Amino acid sequence: MKSIKEIAEILSADLSERELGNPHFNSEYKSCPLNKKYFHEINFATKDRKIAFVDGGNQELLPSPVSSVQLNRVYFSIFKNNKRVPIKSGIPQRIEFLSYTSSQLKGDDINFETKIRPVKDKFSPYLPDERDLQANARKENVEAGTQVGMDRMASMARRFAEWKITGHVIESELEPGDIIVRDGSLQTGHQREYKYEEDVFRKAMDNDVIITGLSKTCRLATDTRVSLIDSIQRLADDTEIKYDKWCYYPVAWSKDTNREHKAVIMVVKLNKHAHTAFRFEIFKEQAETMSDKEICELVSCIADNSKDIKVPGYPYGLIDADLWARVKNEEMEGYKAKLYSELSRMGTWKQVNPLIKIVNTHEKLDGQ
Amino acid sequence: MTNERGQIIGGGLKDIIIREKNGENLELGELLIVENASQSDERNYTILQVKDIEYKSQAHQSTHELLSGMKLEGYDPDLEFMEPELTNYNLGRAKSLLYVQEKITGGEREYITKSPKRLPNFFSPIKSIEESDLKFLEPKNIENSIYLGDIRSGSTVEEGIKVYIDLIKSLTHHILIPATTGRGKSNLVKVMLWSILDTEGAGILVLDPHDEYYGDSIKIGLRYHPKKDEKLEYYSPDKDNDDAVTLAINVKKIRPYHFSGIGGFSSAQTEAIRTIYNKYKSNWITKIAKGIDRDVLKEMGVHEGTAEVLKRKIETKLGVYSVDIDEDNPAMGKKCIFNSNLFVGGDYGLSTVEDIVGALEDEKVVIIDSSKLSDFEELFIGSIITSNIFNKYKRYNSKELNNKPVISIVIEEAPRVLGQDAIESHGGNIYGTIAREGRKFKIGLIAITQLSSVIPRAILANMNTKIILGNEMSPERSAIINSASQDLSDDERIIASLDKGEAIVSSVFTRFAIPIYTPEFKKYVKEYLDEIPQDKTKDLKTMVIG
């Protein structure tokens, strides 16, 4: 097809013409220009530490333009020397809860509110406070009324629950020197998330447990608009870095004024067979107290857990967490059937059904 | 639960899927137990049998291939399967064999066994079968049964659980022992016969083409049984065999129907034989051998050429021919020459058949060494004796028959007499008759064969007990499976993989197809004889009866 060929040519020319540039961040970060000295070799870890991996997932059970019912799930697992560590404290390794997020118009403002209900009563202590699950569309900087906006607001409960579980794991399961690896960045996504994150950071400091985040995807770029991950990998190639596994840092430090993100950002290649490097973060206050050697040692522990052939170079604990936290489409049917039947029994179905249809038309067309 | 081997994760009654616990190594044919929910005074469980095992992995095949390639080609992968026990595992496919309810009523343990009609609970753990799980097999009556071997679960032999089958029922309903060479047929038959020597109520005729059952001073055989003198008789055509009674049959005892389906005579020849027999009665063979006068043949309506062929066949098959009494004077007449020790004239061997039949009626095991006989001679001797028994039993009234022992004939290479051709030629033979009608007259067959597929289905279906040993040949397995008393449709692989001594007992008298291992005869006899001084009663623990 001619158009494809032409677009490919444009893309190819554009990418090859661009210089690598330097990491580009806003004023809330102190970024460091690319430098081959920032590559640090990762060797085998010398310390035996526990690593806890935390991930969450949510899916929409009942969509509508003004509300969303979601099934939320948070999971954690702990490994030491690549062996799974049994949970000793009785924290449920996986919690599930339903959430109902709705929007109300208040003057010119649109407010969101989320109600949550645990699937089992024993999950209650690990859920966020419903009072924290209220938000204003303007303050959250979301376009209310769009699916993206609703998805973002509906994800609050799951994100907060992830922090809650992380805090419990630190206090009840880990020991000084142990590591938490969260799926994704340490950056907060919501106004009130700060409170939960701060609580976890405090617990981490008190218990000397290191908080980190590893992102599967990274949209960061350099100031020449080249992918940050790609530019660092290319730098490794261009400067003939011979390390099988490396940790590139610092990429950037969040400034003290940055309330939403307290981290030192780095890029790591955790296995020689990894097909990509990943963005990796350490809670800034902890990273600041660590020497280069200590940071390398910490990353080595995670690299030792990143040998699984299924996804080389990605921590096995996060593969495991993703597997158990993800809400799969086939699981949704049972919940949907029960919810719809309950709504029908209550006589609410005839009001809800048209709302679902409004949102679902896309899906139906896609299925044709 | 201790002894946990895996967990049920799917499938159906015929194909229950089990995830094997890491390192448990389920085996093809292994028996497993799954407990069902039950009340406090009751235990319900289902017996499963592993029918197939396969590799499974959470990772893609391409990932395995890549890792393997890296290792094989000398790359340092620095990659592995994290938690390999969770990622790579085996799935077993099992079939529900039997549902067992165990209840204690008034201190007595009671069992109800049923064909499984419902599934065990999803995710139920499974465990290896133990002696206590097979208590329901314990017999109420342990008299007069044939020992077949010990219960086997995969390749593990449960020596405490012995499998017996009812003597009378199984023998009258025929037993088929199909297997290829070297799988332990003779050993099994020896063990069976040894145990039959301890029973009452059965006489067994054994046509032994390898002279391996009786034994000698070197080779352990049935002659070592303590009841040998009262229960065992041994015949051999070999005059030099001091252990055996010389087998000689007077040709006067031979009747035309003894050749039925065995002799290789055409319809015209069979017709001629009958005519000649009707005229000359017990001398019919010597008359043919000497040659019948042309005019007499004409009078009987027998073609001269047919008589010539008969004469030749009598000579080649029975070794009976004639010569002139005086070479110089042919008018003096002819005299018969009996070329073999087996078929004789004069007054010798007149009572042999009656003696053998009498011994069988006396509940003895009669072994006939047919190792030096031709194929025809062996089958013909069997036909003479068997016909004699059959006709005798047929004449008994029901009261008399009731008091008679069951008689069974052990026949090797059974298709020689039970194959499609043998059954269909000239009205069939006595073995076919017994296969079809013997049950009514308490006469049965123990048919041993490598080729079940050439035996007509109707005959195979009449063999109500099949002791199936290993068989590599697919058509043979199919023939056995298609005529088995239990549904063995998914046992192909199990049968193909049976090792020496391992067998499956499929019988109308068993609740399920029982896997067994028959001990080595020599070892079995040694243990048996070692036990005698302490306790003459046998270790009869389990009998599988209808």
Side-chain angles (χ1 to χ4, degrees), chain A residues 169-185:
Chain A
V169 170
I170 291 170
E171 285 192 316
S172 309
E173 296 288 341
L174 301 181
E175 288 152 40
D178 289 347
I179 306 165
I180 291 253
V181 181
R182 287 169 48 87
D183 178 61
S185 161

Side-chain angles (χ1 to χ4, degrees), chain B residues 232-520:
Chain B
L232 189 63
E233 286 203 1
Y234 178 45
Y235 284 83
S236 173
D238 183 359
K239 279 182 177 173
D240 298 331
N241 188 337
D242 294 337
D243 295 321
V245 177
T246 303
L247 181 70
I249 291 173
N250 194 298
V251 293
K252 287 178 187 161
K253 291 291 175 181
I254 296 173
R255 299 288 175 266
Y257 58 81
H258 291 151
F259 289 101
S260 245
I262 290 165
F265 293 100
S266 68
S267 302
Q269 290 157 5
T270 306
E271 189 61 33
I273 285 173
R274 287 201 187 113
T275 307
I276 295 166
Y277 172 74
N278 287 340
K279 185 169 178 65
Y280 298 106
K281 300 295 177 191
S282 60
N283 293 319
W284 70 283
I285 286 179
T286 49
K287 277 291 177 189
I288 291 173
K290 285 177 184 173
I292 301 168
D293 186 76
R294 188 180 297 173
D295 294 337
V296 179
L297 285 174
K298 199 172 179 184
E299 192 184 302
M300 289 191 289
V302 174
H303 192 272
E304 205 177 332
T306 307
E308 253 330 290
V309 176
L310 286 178
K311 188 170 183 287
R312 205 165 57 242
K313 285 195 174 177
I314 290 294
E315 182 177 344
T316 53
K317 288 179 184 295
L318 304 183
V320 183
Y321 63 99
S322 61
V323 293
D324 291 334
I325 292 171
D326 183 347
E327 272 184 26
D328 299 329
N329 186 5
M332 287 280 289
K334 290 177 178 294
K335 64 174 179 180
C336 268
I337 304 292
F338 298 92
N339 205 23
S340 84
N341 299 326
L342 189 61
F343 300 109
V344 295
D347 295 332
Y348 190 55
L350 278 172
S351 68
T352 306
V353 175
E354 279 81 5
D355 290 347
I356 292 172
V357 171
L360 293 170
E361 283 198 273
D362 285 342
E363 304 177 6
K364 291 183 180 179
V365 173
V366 178
I367 298 171
I368 293 176
D369 163 24
S370 56
S371 62
K372 292 189 173 65
L373 302 182
S374 68
D375 213 30
F376 165 78
E377 285 171 332
E378 183 196 11
L379 296 179
F380 190 55
I381 292 291
S383 173
I384 294 169
I385 301 166
T386 308
S387 300
N388 201 299
I389 299 163
F390 187 73
N391 291 332
K392 201 171 181 187
Y393 268 48
K394 220 172 161 180
R395 286 194 296 271
Y396 288 135
N397 63 38
S398 57
K399 196 179 167 189
E400 286 170 325
L401 192 62
N402 214 24
N403 293 323
K404 291 289 171 190
V406 59
I407 288 174
S408 183
I409 297 105
V410 178
I411 176 84
E412 297 236 18
E413 305 301 341
R416 292 180 297 171
V417 286
L418 293 179
Q420 192 85 36
D421 294 345
I423 292 282
E424 286 175 357
S425 68
H426 312 309
N429 58 46
I430 184 65
Y431 299 100
T433 306
I434 288 174
R436 283 190 295 265
E437 303 175 42
R439 190 186 313 167
K440 286 187 285 187
F441 306 108
K442 293 177 78 172
I443 301 172
L445 296 173
I446 297 176
I448 303 166
T449 179
Q450 296 191 49
L451 295 168
S452 306
S453 60
V454 298
I455 298 175
R457 228 181 131 163
I459 301 282
L460 281 181
N462 261 324
M463 303 277 173
N464 283 314
T465 298
K466 294 180 179 72
I467 308 172
I468 306 160
L469 294 110
N471 204 318
E472 295 95 347
M473 294 180 285
S474 178
E476 299 312 312
R477 292 198 298 270
S478 298
I480 299 158
I481 286 167
N482 292 336
S483 61
S485 302
Q486 278 88 15
D487 175 17
L488 302 181
S489 53
D490 43 10
D491 279 38
E492 269 248 31
R493 204 163 301 162
I494 292 180
I495 295 171
S497 66
L498 289 171
D499 279 327
K500 192 172 182 176
E502 294 179 349
I504 295 168
V505 182
S506 171
S507 170
V508 291
F509 307 119
T510 61
R511 292 299 316 222
F512 62 97
I514 302 174
I516 62 163
Y517 173 78
T518 308
E520 193 192 345

Side-chain angles (χ1 to χ4, degrees), chain A residues 267-281:
Chain A
V267 171
V268 291
K269 188 186 175 198
L270 298 172
N271 188 288
K272 71 172 173 182
H273 300 289
H275 35 73
T276 184
F278 296 107
R279 170 179 168 176
F280 181 67
E281 297 176 8

